[in-house]
Amino acid sequence: AQKVTQAQTEISVVEKEDVTLDCVYETRDTTYYLFWYKQPPSGELVFLIRRNSFDEQNEISGRYSWNFQKSTSSFNFTITASQVVDSAVYFCALRGSGGSYIPTFGRGTSLIVHP
Amino acid sequence: GAGVSQSPSNKVTEKGKDVELRCDPISGHTALYWYRQSLGQGLEFLIYFQGNSAPDKSGLPSDRFSAERTGGSVSTLTIQRTQQEDSAVYLCASSLTGYNQPQHFGDGTRLSIL
């Protein structure tokens, strides 16, 4: 069985602070894919990034960076110098290659960035 | 380019009525998913379609819920004899085939049962 845990239900920061959203996963598949999605107050989930299990290289995209560590089964997401527009619910998801195409989502972390 | 389109955006209906929610996936996407999201909650998987294969209905909460996908494209989610606990946002997503393919979501249909 697969599992994704986003232990932080809600995080509140002040603009320009750095913030890290945690994602811990469980799977028995040796090949799997991890995803992050953003759901702003408007409601539509937007795909942010994908990482496969055989590529542990960290990735940076502007103010966003992702730290994938197989040793701790974590795929954490850091926003540097947060902005009000970053306020959203962020979901981490896992899809293993051993069976179903249905991904497993975490419960989401609500990020509130105050001006 | 067109994304995933859902209609209606909002639906208000009386308890006991039937409702139909529509999803137009991205052209060429063979996989289609329906989810339900209650206020402030995560995503609850409902049903998954892949090409011409039999759908995975394992997430449907009761036999009042059904869905079909015609011609491998448009999908309709039907809720019969609606109950107040059916009130939620219903999200549709589509993707290309493959474990590595991300999902593309529509804006959702906000369903309110009076």
Side-chain angles (χ1 to χ4, degrees), chain A residues 43-78:
Chain A
E44 180 179 347
L45 275 95
V46 176
F47 164 65
L48 295 178
I49 192 172
R50 169 186 60 208
R51 173 64 67 219
N52 63 54
S53 55
F54 40 90
D55 180 5
E56 288 195 70
Q57 196 169 31
N58 292 325
E59 184 156 342
I60 298 174
S61 176
R63 296 183 297 106
Y64 294 174
S65 63
W66 289 268
N67 183 6
F68 175 40
Q69 294 203 346
K70 287 181 75 170
S71 60
T72 55
S73 297
S74 65
F75 185 41
N76 296 337
F77 173 27
T78 297

PDB file of all heavy atoms in Angstrom, chain A residues 43-78:
ATOM      1  N   GLY A  43      -9.056  27.728  -6.597  1.00  0.00           N
ATOM      2  CA  GLY A  43      -9.530  26.353  -6.604  1.00  0.00           C
ATOM      3  C   GLY A  43      -8.857  25.368  -7.534  1.00  0.00           C
ATOM      4  O   GLY A  43      -8.855  24.181  -7.259  1.00  0.00           O
ATOM      5  N   GLU A  44      -8.298  25.812  -8.656  1.00  0.00           N
ATOM      6  CA  GLU A  44      -7.764  24.850  -9.625  1.00  0.00           C
ATOM      7  C   GLU A  44      -6.391  24.348  -9.207  1.00  0.00           C
ATOM      8  O   GLU A  44      -5.481  25.133  -8.969  1.00  0.00           O
ATOM      9  CB  GLU A  44      -7.669  25.510 -10.991  1.00  0.00           C
ATOM     10  CG  GLU A  44      -7.129  24.604 -12.087  1.00  0.00           C
ATOM     11  CD  GLU A  44      -7.080  25.301 -13.429  1.00  0.00           C
ATOM     12  OE1 GLU A  44      -7.672  26.383 -13.572  1.00  0.00           O
ATOM     13  OE2 GLU A  44      -6.430  24.756 -14.348  1.00  0.00           O
ATOM     14  N   LEU A  45      -6.226  23.040  -9.140  1.00  0.00           N
ATOM     15  CA  LEU A  45      -4.919  22.466  -8.823  1.00  0.00           C
ATOM     16  C   LEU A  45      -3.992  22.603 -10.022  1.00  0.00           C
ATOM     17  O   LEU A  45      -4.359  22.280 -11.155  1.00  0.00           O
ATOM     18  CB  LEU A  45      -5.038  20.988  -8.475  1.00  0.00           C
ATOM     19  CG  LEU A  45      -5.383  20.666  -7.036  1.00  0.00           C
ATOM     20  CD1 LEU A  45      -6.874  20.478  -6.906  1.00  0.00           C
ATOM     21  CD2 LEU A  45      -4.652  19.419  -6.584  1.00  0.00           C
ATOM     22  N   VAL A  46      -2.789  23.049  -9.743  1.00  0.00           N
ATOM     23  CA  VAL A  46      -1.806  23.258 -10.797  1.00  0.00           C
ATOM     24  C   VAL A  46      -0.580  22.398 -10.505  1.00  0.00           C
ATOM     25  O   VAL A  46      -0.048  22.417  -9.384  1.00  0.00           O
ATOM     26  CB  VAL A  46      -1.397  24.743 -10.872  1.00  0.00           C
ATOM     27  CG1 VAL A  46      -0.291  24.941 -11.897  1.00  0.00           C
ATOM     28  CG2 VAL A  46      -2.599  25.603 -11.193  1.00  0.00           C
ATOM     29  N   PHE A  47      -0.142  21.665 -11.510  1.00  0.00           N
ATOM     30  CA  PHE A  47       1.042  20.820 -11.380  1.00  0.00           C
ATOM     31  C   PHE A  47       2.277  21.692 -11.258  1.00  0.00           C
ATOM     32  O   PHE A  47       2.464  22.645 -12.024  1.00  0.00           O
ATOM     33  CB  PHE A  47       1.126  19.918 -12.612  1.00  0.00           C
ATOM     34  CG  PHE A  47       2.458  19.260 -12.824  1.00  0.00           C
ATOM     35  CD1 PHE A  47       2.936  18.331 -11.924  1.00  0.00           C
ATOM     36  CD2 PHE A  47       3.226  19.580 -13.940  1.00  0.00           C
ATOM     37  CE1 PHE A  47       4.160  17.711 -12.131  1.00  0.00           C
ATOM     38  CE2 PHE A  47       4.448  18.974 -14.154  1.00  0.00           C
ATOM     39  CZ  PHE A  47       4.919  18.037 -13.251  1.00  0.00           C
ATOM     40  N   LEU A  48       3.157  21.376 -10.290  1.00  0.00           N
ATOM     41  CA  LEU A  48       4.389  22.138 -10.097  1.00  0.00           C
ATOM     42  C   LEU A  48       5.618  21.376 -10.558  1.00  0.00           C
ATOM     43  O   LEU A  48       6.444  21.900 -11.310  1.00  0.00           O
ATOM     44  CB  LEU A  48       4.555  22.520  -8.623  1.00  0.00           C
ATOM     45  CG  LEU A  48       3.533  23.477  -8.031  1.00  0.00           C
ATOM     46  CD1 LEU A  48       3.822  23.706  -6.557  1.00  0.00           C
ATOM     47  CD2 LEU A  48       3.535  24.801  -8.790  1.00  0.00           C
ATOM     48  N   ILE A  49       5.758  20.132 -10.073  1.00  0.00           N
ATOM     49  CA  ILE A  49       6.980  19.400 -10.370  1.00  0.00           C
ATOM     50  C   ILE A  49       6.746  17.902 -10.241  1.00  0.00           C
ATOM     51  O   ILE A  49       5.868  17.451  -9.511  1.00  0.00           O
ATOM     52  CB  ILE A  49       8.131  19.831  -9.438  1.00  0.00           C
ATOM     53  CG1 ILE A  49       9.466  19.284  -9.964  1.00  0.00           C
ATOM     54  CG2 ILE A  49       7.861  19.375  -8.005  1.00  0.00           C
ATOM     55  CD1 ILE A  49      10.674  19.820  -9.233  1.00  0.00           C
ATOM     56  N   ARG A  50       7.546  17.143 -10.965  1.00  0.00           N
ATOM     57  CA  ARG A  50       7.578  15.691 -10.892  1.00  0.00           C
ATOM     58  C   ARG A  50       9.010  15.253 -10.633  1.00  0.00           C
ATOM     59  O   ARG A  50       9.958  15.841 -11.158  1.00  0.00           O
ATOM     60  CB  ARG A  50       7.105  15.101 -12.220  1.00  0.00           C
ATOM     61  CG  ARG A  50       7.343  13.604 -12.385  1.00  0.00           C
ATOM     62  CD  ARG A  50       6.980  13.156 -13.781  1.00  0.00           C
ATOM     63  NE  ARG A  50       7.765  13.844 -14.794  1.00  0.00           N
ATOM     64  CZ  ARG A  50       7.338  14.060 -16.042  1.00  0.00           C
ATOM     65  NH1 ARG A  50       6.139  13.646 -16.416  1.00  0.00           N
ATOM     66  NH2 ARG A  50       8.089  14.685 -16.906  1.00  0.00           N
ATOM     67  N   ARG A  51       9.163  14.212  -9.844  1.00  0.00           N
ATOM     68  CA  ARG A  51      10.476  13.637  -9.587  1.00  0.00           C
ATOM     69  C   ARG A  51      10.349  12.119  -9.637  1.00  0.00           C
ATOM     70  O   ARG A  51       9.433  11.563  -9.057  1.00  0.00           O
ATOM     71  CB  ARG A  51      10.985  14.099  -8.211  1.00  0.00           C
ATOM     72  CG  ARG A  51      12.260  13.442  -7.741  1.00  0.00           C
ATOM     73  CD  ARG A  51      13.419  13.781  -8.638  1.00  0.00           C
ATOM     74  NE  ARG A  51      13.749  15.193  -8.526  1.00  0.00           N
ATOM     75  CZ  ARG A  51      14.100  15.931  -9.572  1.00  0.00           C
ATOM     76  NH1 ARG A  51      14.173  15.412 -10.777  1.00  0.00           N
ATOM     77  NH2 ARG A  51      14.402  17.197  -9.406  1.00  0.00           N
ATOM     78  N   ASN A  52      11.276  11.444 -10.330  1.00  0.00           N
ATOM     79  CA  ASN A  52      11.243   9.983 -10.342  1.00  0.00           C
ATOM     80  C   ASN A  52      12.220   9.425  -9.326  1.00  0.00           C
ATOM     81  O   ASN A  52      13.168  10.093  -8.913  1.00  0.00           O
ATOM     82  CB  ASN A  52      11.511   9.443 -11.750  1.00  0.00           C
ATOM     83  CG  ASN A  52      12.883   9.814 -12.245  1.00  0.00           C
ATOM     84  OD1 ASN A  52      13.880   9.549 -11.585  1.00  0.00           O
ATOM     85  ND2 ASN A  52      12.951  10.425 -13.413  1.00  0.00           N
ATOM     86  N   SER A  53      12.009   8.189  -8.961  1.00  0.00           N
ATOM     87  CA  SER A  53      12.718   7.586  -7.841  1.00  0.00           C
ATOM     88  C   SER A  53      14.191   7.338  -8.119  1.00  0.00           C
ATOM     89  O   SER A  53      14.974   7.124  -7.195  1.00  0.00           O
ATOM     90  CB  SER A  53      12.050   6.260  -7.445  1.00  0.00           C
ATOM     91  OG  SER A  53      11.959   5.403  -8.572  1.00  0.00           O
ATOM     92  N   PHE A  54      14.587   7.340  -9.381  1.00  0.00           N
ATOM     93  CA  PHE A  54      15.991   7.066  -9.677  1.00  0.00           C
ATOM     94  C   PHE A  54      16.781   8.332  -9.975  1.00  0.00           C
ATOM     95  O   PHE A  54      17.900   8.270 -10.476  1.00  0.00           O
ATOM     96  CB  PHE A  54      16.115   6.052 -10.833  1.00  0.00           C
ATOM     97  CG  PHE A  54      15.130   6.242 -11.940  1.00  0.00           C
ATOM     98  CD1 PHE A  54      15.403   7.049 -13.030  1.00  0.00           C
ATOM     99  CD2 PHE A  54      13.902   5.595 -11.891  1.00  0.00           C
ATOM    100  CE1 PHE A  54      14.480   7.208 -14.049  1.00  0.00           C
ATOM    101  CE2 PHE A  54      12.973   5.745 -12.916  1.00  0.00           C
ATOM    102  CZ  PHE A  54      13.263   6.558 -13.989  1.00  0.00           C
ATOM    103  N   ASP A  55      16.190   9.465  -9.663  1.00  0.00           N
ATOM    104  CA  ASP A  55      16.872  10.730  -9.870  1.00  0.00           C
ATOM    105  C   ASP A  55      16.770  11.555  -8.601  1.00  0.00           C
ATOM    106  O   ASP A  55      15.754  12.201  -8.361  1.00  0.00           O
ATOM    107  CB  ASP A  55      16.259  11.474 -11.049  1.00  0.00           C
ATOM    108  CG  ASP A  55      16.947  12.811 -11.306  1.00  0.00           C
ATOM    109  OD1 ASP A  55      17.956  13.099 -10.618  1.00  0.00           O
ATOM    110  OD2 ASP A  55      16.472  13.549 -12.178  1.00  0.00           O
ATOM    111  N   GLU A  56      17.827  11.530  -7.801  1.00  0.00           N
ATOM    112  CA  GLU A  56      17.779  12.243  -6.530  1.00  0.00           C
ATOM    113  C   GLU A  56      18.328  13.661  -6.626  1.00  0.00           C
ATOM    114  O   GLU A  56      18.512  14.327  -5.619  1.00  0.00           O
ATOM    115  CB  GLU A  56      18.541  11.470  -5.449  1.00  0.00           C
ATOM    116  CG  GLU A  56      17.818  10.218  -4.991  1.00  0.00           C
ATOM    117  CD  GLU A  56      18.393   9.684  -3.693  1.00  0.00           C
ATOM    118  OE1 GLU A  56      18.212  10.333  -2.649  1.00  0.00           O
ATOM    119  OE2 GLU A  56      19.003   8.606  -3.737  1.00  0.00           O
ATOM    120  N   GLN A  57      18.570  14.103  -7.810  1.00  0.00           N
ATOM    121  CA  GLN A  57      19.079  15.459  -7.975  1.00  0.00           C
ATOM    122  C   GLN A  57      18.028  16.462  -7.521  1.00  0.00           C
ATOM    123  O   GLN A  57      16.863  16.379  -7.908  1.00  0.00           O
ATOM    124  CB  GLN A  57      19.426  15.688  -9.446  1.00  0.00           C
ATOM    125  CG  GLN A  57      20.307  16.881  -9.699  1.00  0.00           C
ATOM    126  CD  GLN A  57      20.827  16.879 -11.134  1.00  0.00           C
ATOM    127  OE1 GLN A  57      20.171  16.396 -12.029  1.00  0.00           O
ATOM    128  NE2 GLN A  57      22.016  17.422 -11.338  1.00  0.00           N
ATOM    129  N   ASN A  58      18.433  17.383  -6.702  1.00  0.00           N
ATOM    130  CA  ASN A  58      17.507  18.412  -6.268  1.00  0.00           C
ATOM    131  C   ASN A  58      17.254  19.401  -7.403  1.00  0.00           C
ATOM    132  O   ASN A  58      18.075  19.524  -8.319  1.00  0.00           O
ATOM    133  CB  ASN A  58      18.031  19.124  -5.031  1.00  0.00           C
ATOM    134  CG  ASN A  58      18.031  18.210  -3.826  1.00  0.00           C
ATOM    135  OD1 ASN A  58      17.144  17.375  -3.675  1.00  0.00           O
ATOM    136  ND2 ASN A  58      19.018  18.361  -2.973  1.00  0.00           N
ATOM    137  N   GLU A  59      16.146  20.081  -7.304  1.00  0.00           N
ATOM    138  CA  GLU A  59      15.777  20.982  -8.396  1.00  0.00           C
ATOM    139  C   GLU A  59      15.403  22.350  -7.849  1.00  0.00           C
ATOM    140  O   GLU A  59      14.802  22.465  -6.778  1.00  0.00           O
ATOM    141  CB  GLU A  59      14.610  20.392  -9.182  1.00  0.00           C
ATOM    142  CG  GLU A  59      14.210  21.218 -10.401  1.00  0.00           C
ATOM    143  CD  GLU A  59      13.506  20.405 -11.449  1.00  0.00           C
ATOM    144  OE1 GLU A  59      13.608  19.165 -11.421  1.00  0.00           O
ATOM    145  OE2 GLU A  59      12.840  21.013 -12.307  1.00  0.00           O
ATOM    146  N   ILE A  60      15.784  23.355  -8.599  1.00  0.00           N
ATOM    147  CA  ILE A  60      15.456  24.733  -8.227  1.00  0.00           C
ATOM    148  C   ILE A  60      14.781  25.400  -9.415  1.00  0.00           C
ATOM    149  O   ILE A  60      15.231  25.265 -10.554  1.00  0.00           O
ATOM    150  CB  ILE A  60      16.722  25.525  -7.838  1.00  0.00           C
ATOM    151  CG1 ILE A  60      17.400  24.897  -6.623  1.00  0.00           C
ATOM    152  CG2 ILE A  60      16.368  26.987  -7.562  1.00  0.00           C
ATOM    153  CD1 ILE A  60      18.731  25.532  -6.269  1.00  0.00           C
ATOM    154  N   SER A  61      13.683  26.092  -9.120  1.00  0.00           N
ATOM    155  CA  SER A  61      13.002  26.849 -10.155  1.00  0.00           C
ATOM    156  C   SER A  61      12.619  28.193  -9.557  1.00  0.00           C
ATOM    157  O   SER A  61      11.619  28.313  -8.846  1.00  0.00           O
ATOM    158  CB  SER A  61      11.760  26.089 -10.637  1.00  0.00           C
ATOM    159  OG  SER A  61      11.041  26.862 -11.578  1.00  0.00           O
ATOM    160  N   GLY A  62      13.435  29.171  -9.812  1.00  0.00           N
ATOM    161  CA  GLY A  62      13.171  30.495  -9.241  1.00  0.00           C
ATOM    162  C   GLY A  62      13.243  30.446  -7.733  1.00  0.00           C
ATOM    163  O   GLY A  62      14.258  30.045  -7.143  1.00  0.00           O
ATOM    164  N   ARG A  63      12.143  30.816  -7.081  1.00  0.00           N
ATOM    165  CA  ARG A  63      12.114  30.817  -5.605  1.00  0.00           C
ATOM    166  C   ARG A  63      11.754  29.438  -5.040  1.00  0.00           C
ATOM    167  O   ARG A  63      11.748  29.246  -3.830  1.00  0.00           O
ATOM    168  CB  ARG A  63      11.098  31.848  -5.115  1.00  0.00           C
ATOM    169  CG  ARG A  63      11.445  33.282  -5.475  1.00  0.00           C
ATOM    170  CD  ARG A  63      10.441  34.275  -4.892  1.00  0.00           C
ATOM    171  NE  ARG A  63       9.101  34.082  -5.428  1.00  0.00           N
ATOM    172  CZ  ARG A  63       8.099  33.526  -4.749  1.00  0.00           C
ATOM    173  NH1 ARG A  63       8.280  33.090  -3.510  1.00  0.00           N
ATOM    174  NH2 ARG A  63       6.909  33.406  -5.298  1.00  0.00           N
ATOM    175  N   TYR A  64      11.414  28.499  -5.922  1.00  0.00           N
ATOM    176  CA  TYR A  64      10.998  27.168  -5.485  1.00  0.00           C
ATOM    177  C   TYR A  64      12.172  26.198  -5.579  1.00  0.00           C
ATOM    178  O   TYR A  64      12.930  26.220  -6.558  1.00  0.00           O
ATOM    179  CB  TYR A  64       9.869  26.635  -6.381  1.00  0.00           C
ATOM    180  CG  TYR A  64       8.549  27.365  -6.314  1.00  0.00           C
ATOM    181  CD1 TYR A  64       7.517  27.013  -7.184  1.00  0.00           C
ATOM    182  CD2 TYR A  64       8.314  28.383  -5.408  1.00  0.00           C
ATOM    183  CE1 TYR A  64       6.292  27.645  -7.138  1.00  0.00           C
ATOM    184  CE2 TYR A  64       7.090  29.026  -5.362  1.00  0.00           C
ATOM    185  CZ  TYR A  64       6.087  28.657  -6.224  1.00  0.00           C
ATOM    186  OH  TYR A  64       4.867  29.301  -6.194  1.00  0.00           O
ATOM    187  N   SER A  65      12.284  25.328  -4.595  1.00  0.00           N
ATOM    188  CA  SER A  65      13.267  24.253  -4.671  1.00  0.00           C
ATOM    189  C   SER A  65      12.700  23.009  -4.015  1.00  0.00           C
ATOM    190  O   SER A  65      11.832  23.087  -3.142  1.00  0.00           O
ATOM    191  CB  SER A  65      14.595  24.667  -4.000  1.00  0.00           C
ATOM    192  OG  SER A  65      14.399  24.910  -2.622  1.00  0.00           O
ATOM    193  N   TRP A  66      13.189  21.859  -4.504  1.00  0.00           N
ATOM    194  CA  TRP A  66      12.684  20.581  -4.013  1.00  0.00           C
ATOM    195  C   TRP A  66      13.867  19.720  -3.600  1.00  0.00           C
ATOM    196  O   TRP A  66      14.873  19.634  -4.318  1.00  0.00           O
ATOM    197  CB  TRP A  66      11.876  19.868  -5.102  1.00  0.00           C
ATOM    198  CG  TRP A  66      10.574  20.549  -5.362  1.00  0.00           C
ATOM    199  CD1 TRP A  66       9.377  20.288  -4.773  1.00  0.00           C
ATOM    200  CD2 TRP A  66      10.338  21.615  -6.280  1.00  0.00           C
ATOM    201  NE1 TRP A  66       8.412  21.123  -5.272  1.00  0.00           N
ATOM    202  CE2 TRP A  66       8.972  21.943  -6.190  1.00  0.00           C
ATOM    203  CE3 TRP A  66      11.143  22.335  -7.167  1.00  0.00           C
ATOM    204  CZ2 TRP A  66       8.394  22.956  -6.948  1.00  0.00           C
ATOM    205  CZ3 TRP A  66      10.573  23.335  -7.923  1.00  0.00           C
ATOM    206  CH2 TRP A  66       9.213  23.642  -7.805  1.00  0.00           C
ATOM    207  N   ASN A  67      13.735  19.077  -2.446  1.00  0.00           N
ATOM    208  CA  ASN A  67      14.779  18.234  -1.893  1.00  0.00           C
ATOM    209  C   ASN A  67      14.249  16.808  -1.775  1.00  0.00           C
ATOM    210  O   ASN A  67      13.411  16.519  -0.920  1.00  0.00           O
ATOM    211  CB  ASN A  67      15.207  18.767  -0.520  1.00  0.00           C
ATOM    212  CG  ASN A  67      16.335  17.971   0.083  1.00  0.00           C
ATOM    213  OD1 ASN A  67      16.885  17.073  -0.549  1.00  0.00           O
ATOM    214  ND2 ASN A  67      16.685  18.291   1.313  1.00  0.00           N
ATOM    215  N   PHE A  68      14.733  15.929  -2.651  1.00  0.00           N
ATOM    216  CA  PHE A  68      14.287  14.538  -2.666  1.00  0.00           C
ATOM    217  C   PHE A  68      15.351  13.683  -1.997  1.00  0.00           C
ATOM    218  O   PHE A  68      16.507  13.691  -2.423  1.00  0.00           O
ATOM    219  CB  PHE A  68      14.069  14.083  -4.109  1.00  0.00           C
ATOM    220  CG  PHE A  68      13.731  12.634  -4.271  1.00  0.00           C
ATOM    221  CD1 PHE A  68      12.878  11.996  -3.390  1.00  0.00           C
ATOM    222  CD2 PHE A  68      14.253  11.911  -5.326  1.00  0.00           C
ATOM    223  CE1 PHE A  68      12.561  10.656  -3.549  1.00  0.00           C
ATOM    224  CE2 PHE A  68      13.942  10.567  -5.501  1.00  0.00           C
ATOM    225  CZ  PHE A  68      13.094   9.941  -4.611  1.00  0.00           C
ATOM    226  N   GLN A  69      14.980  12.963  -0.943  1.00  0.00           N
ATOM    227  CA  GLN A  69      15.913  12.091  -0.244  1.00  0.00           C
ATOM    228  C   GLN A  69      15.290  10.716  -0.075  1.00  0.00           C
ATOM    229  O   GLN A  69      14.394  10.536   0.758  1.00  0.00           O
ATOM    230  CB  GLN A  69      16.285  12.686   1.116  1.00  0.00           C
ATOM    231  CG  GLN A  69      17.076  13.982   1.012  1.00  0.00           C
ATOM    232  CD  GLN A  69      17.895  14.267   2.253  1.00  0.00           C
ATOM    233  OE1 GLN A  69      17.687  13.654   3.298  1.00  0.00           O
ATOM    234  NE2 GLN A  69      18.828  15.192   2.154  1.00  0.00           N
ATOM    235  N   LYS A  70      15.792   9.738  -0.820  1.00  0.00           N
ATOM    236  CA  LYS A  70      15.259   8.379  -0.724  1.00  0.00           C
ATOM    237  C   LYS A  70      15.551   7.773   0.641  1.00  0.00           C
ATOM    238  O   LYS A  70      14.773   6.964   1.147  1.00  0.00           O
ATOM    239  CB  LYS A  70      15.847   7.498  -1.825  1.00  0.00           C
ATOM    240  CG  LYS A  70      15.295   7.801  -3.203  1.00  0.00           C
ATOM    241  CD  LYS A  70      15.881   6.890  -4.261  1.00  0.00           C
ATOM    242  CE  LYS A  70      15.290   5.506  -4.180  1.00  0.00           C
ATOM    243  NZ  LYS A  70      15.693   4.697  -5.368  1.00  0.00           N
ATOM    244  N   SER A  71      16.665   8.138   1.232  1.00  0.00           N
ATOM    245  CA  SER A  71      17.065   7.541   2.517  1.00  0.00           C
ATOM    246  C   SER A  71      16.044   7.831   3.615  1.00  0.00           C
ATOM    247  O   SER A  71      15.878   7.034   4.542  1.00  0.00           O
ATOM    248  CB  SER A  71      18.441   8.053   2.939  1.00  0.00           C
ATOM    249  OG  SER A  71      18.417   9.464   3.082  1.00  0.00           O
ATOM    250  N   THR A  72      15.369   8.965   3.499  1.00  0.00           N
ATOM    251  CA  THR A  72      14.363   9.333   4.499  1.00  0.00           C
ATOM    252  C   THR A  72      12.964   9.336   3.908  1.00  0.00           C
ATOM    253  O   THR A  72      12.007   9.762   4.556  1.00  0.00           O
ATOM    254  CB  THR A  72      14.661  10.718   5.089  1.00  0.00           C
ATOM    255  OG1 THR A  72      14.751  11.664   4.017  1.00  0.00           O
ATOM    256  CG2 THR A  72      15.959  10.712   5.885  1.00  0.00           C
ATOM    257  N   SER A  73      12.834   8.867   2.660  1.00  0.00           N
ATOM    258  CA  SER A  73      11.534   8.833   1.967  1.00  0.00           C
ATOM    259  C   SER A  73      10.834  10.185   2.062  1.00  0.00           C
ATOM    260  O   SER A  73       9.652  10.277   2.446  1.00  0.00           O
ATOM    261  CB  SER A  73      10.638   7.738   2.568  1.00  0.00           C
ATOM    262  OG  SER A  73      11.211   6.473   2.381  1.00  0.00           O
ATOM    263  N   SER A  74      11.569  11.208   1.705  1.00  0.00           N
ATOM    264  CA  SER A  74      10.983  12.545   1.787  1.00  0.00           C
ATOM    265  C   SER A  74      11.186  13.323   0.487  1.00  0.00           C
ATOM    266  O   SER A  74      12.170  13.106  -0.237  1.00  0.00           O
ATOM    267  CB  SER A  74      11.580  13.322   2.953  1.00  0.00           C
ATOM    268  OG  SER A  74      12.959  13.546   2.740  1.00  0.00           O
ATOM    269  N   PHE A  75      10.245  14.192   0.220  1.00  0.00           N
ATOM    270  CA  PHE A  75      10.309  15.037  -0.971  1.00  0.00           C
ATOM    271  C   PHE A  75       9.778  16.399  -0.551  1.00  0.00           C
ATOM    272  O   PHE A  75       8.621  16.746  -0.782  1.00  0.00           O
ATOM    273  CB  PHE A  75       9.472  14.418  -2.090  1.00  0.00           C
ATOM    274  CG  PHE A  75       9.544  15.140  -3.407  1.00  0.00           C
ATOM    275  CD1 PHE A  75      10.745  15.647  -3.892  1.00  0.00           C
ATOM    276  CD2 PHE A  75       8.397  15.292  -4.187  1.00  0.00           C
ATOM    277  CE1 PHE A  75      10.805  16.302  -5.114  1.00  0.00           C
ATOM    278  CE2 PHE A  75       8.445  15.943  -5.416  1.00  0.00           C
ATOM    279  CZ  PHE A  75       9.656  16.439  -5.880  1.00  0.00           C
ATOM    280  N   ASN A  76      10.661  17.182   0.067  1.00  0.00           N
ATOM    281  CA  ASN A  76      10.252  18.450   0.659  1.00  0.00           C
ATOM    282  C   ASN A  76      10.358  19.608  -0.323  1.00  0.00           C
ATOM    283  O   ASN A  76      11.195  19.603  -1.230  1.00  0.00           O
ATOM    284  CB  ASN A  76      11.096  18.746   1.895  1.00  0.00           C
ATOM    285  CG  ASN A  76      10.876  17.717   2.987  1.00  0.00           C
ATOM    286  OD1 ASN A  76       9.847  17.048   3.027  1.00  0.00           O
ATOM    287  ND2 ASN A  76      11.849  17.589   3.870  1.00  0.00           N
ATOM    288  N   PHE A  77       9.529  20.590  -0.097  1.00  0.00           N
ATOM    289  CA  PHE A  77       9.371  21.726  -1.010  1.00  0.00           C
ATOM    290  C   PHE A  77       9.656  23.010  -0.229  1.00  0.00           C
ATOM    291  O   PHE A  77       9.027  23.249   0.804  1.00  0.00           O
ATOM    292  CB  PHE A  77       7.941  21.692  -1.547  1.00  0.00           C
ATOM    293  CG  PHE A  77       7.504  22.856  -2.373  1.00  0.00           C
ATOM    294  CD1 PHE A  77       8.406  23.620  -3.106  1.00  0.00           C
ATOM    295  CD2 PHE A  77       6.151  23.189  -2.446  1.00  0.00           C
ATOM    296  CE1 PHE A  77       7.979  24.686  -3.885  1.00  0.00           C
ATOM    297  CE2 PHE A  77       5.710  24.251  -3.230  1.00  0.00           C
ATOM    298  CZ  PHE A  77       6.618  24.997  -3.939  1.00  0.00           C
ATOM    299  N   THR A  78      10.602  23.789  -0.722  1.00  0.00           N
ATOM    300  CA  THR A  78      10.967  25.036  -0.051  1.00  0.00           C
ATOM    301  C   THR A  78      10.670  26.233  -0.939  1.00  0.00           C
ATOM    302  O   THR A  78      10.997  26.226  -2.122  1.00  0.00           O
ATOM    303  CB  THR A  78      12.461  25.047   0.337  1.00  0.00           C
ATOM    304  OG1 THR A  78      12.709  24.000   1.271  1.00  0.00           O
ATOM    305  CG2 THR A  78      12.862  26.382   0.952  1.00  0.00           C
TER     306      THR A  78
END
